[in-house]
Amino acid sequence: GSSFDSVATLLAAYPSHFAIRTQSDVLALLGDIAWQARCGVTWNGATAELVYLSKEPTGSVLALDAVTGEEGGLSLSTTGIEDIVTVFTAEWQPNYSDEKPKKVVYQTNVARYGKREETFELWIYQQRSLVVKSASFWAARRGRAWRTASSAMWGLEALHVDPLDYVRWDISGFFNAVYCLVDRAGMS
């Protein structure tokens, strides 16, 4: 579909070359490949949508303000620290020899959160520069807590909001207008 065509254009400068040498769950495999390429994938029945997460948002599917949400329906919070990774190690191999994997290590916010280490295999890339691109992106995302907002919305305009869409939230008195990546969307 169109989401795959637009993402393919954005990923053209970051080629991946890999072999799949073991059998695994196809949906988990597609999710892993998308993650390594700095993408998100969502499923709606048999249809997949792909989003390139490295691109700064330039538009949104919905603009929210204080009137859009139900009264008392706005909840501000932060993500927990249990998923924070301050020492992000990416392992990769330039070819399929049995040599020891090479490593790229990023440290982010160690002074604030302590050493919270995790190793990730970036097997879709064989070039160090491409591993660095993905590892630095995910190290920056995983190495901090994020502000979250949730709201009960009303109106037909909210029906077409899906996970990985961007919404522009402008609620004066709380924060400046920001683009928010939708984590979950649904009807109650």
Side-chain angles (χ1 to χ4, degrees), residues 58-152:
T58 56
S60 63
V61 297
L62 180 65
L64 300 173
D65 57 27
V67 177
T68 309
E70 294 177 1
E71 186 173 330
L74 176 65
S75 173
L76 298 175
S77 185
T78 59
T79 56
I81 65 167
E82 59 274 356
D83 293 326
I84 291 176
V85 177
T86 59
V87 180
F88 186 105
T89 302
E91 291 187 343
W92 63 286
Q93 291 187 295
N95 56 50
Y96 288 106
S97 67
D98 288 330
E99 68 183 56
K100 188 176 177 181
K102 298 187 181 304
K103 295 181 181 189
V104 173
V105 180
Y106 282 91
Q107 294 191 32
T108 309
N109 290 325
V110 173
R112 176 177 279 174
Y113 300 113
K115 273 195 164 188
R116 304 171 67 85
E117 302 177 66
E118 198 163 338
T119 300
F120 301 87
E121 292 183 35
L122 297 183
W123 48 266
I124 69 168
Y125 296 120
Q126 285 71 51
Q127 297 175 21
R128 186 181 194 284
S129 63
L130 302 177
V131 173
V132 165
K133 182 80 172 173
S134 284
S136 65
F137 173 81
W138 287 114
R141 284 214 169 180
R142 297 290 306 271
R144 61 179 296 190
W146 290 88
R147 193 177 330 187
T148 62
S150 66
S151 174

Side-chain angles (χ1 to χ4, degrees), residues 170-188:
D170 187 4
I171 301 178
S172 52
F174 285 104
F175 44 77
N176 295 330
V178 293
Y179 284 103
C180 303
L181 185 64
V182 175
D183 181 45
R184 288 183 302 275
M187 296 174 53
S188 57

Side-chain angles (χ1 to χ4, degrees), residues 41-64:
V41 64
T42 61
W43 296 91
N44 185 4
T47 304
E49 290 290 324
L50 194 63
V51 176
Y52 183 55
L53 299 172
S54 259
K55 183 180 178 210
E56 288 288 327
T58 56
S60 63
V61 297
L62 180 65
L64 300 173

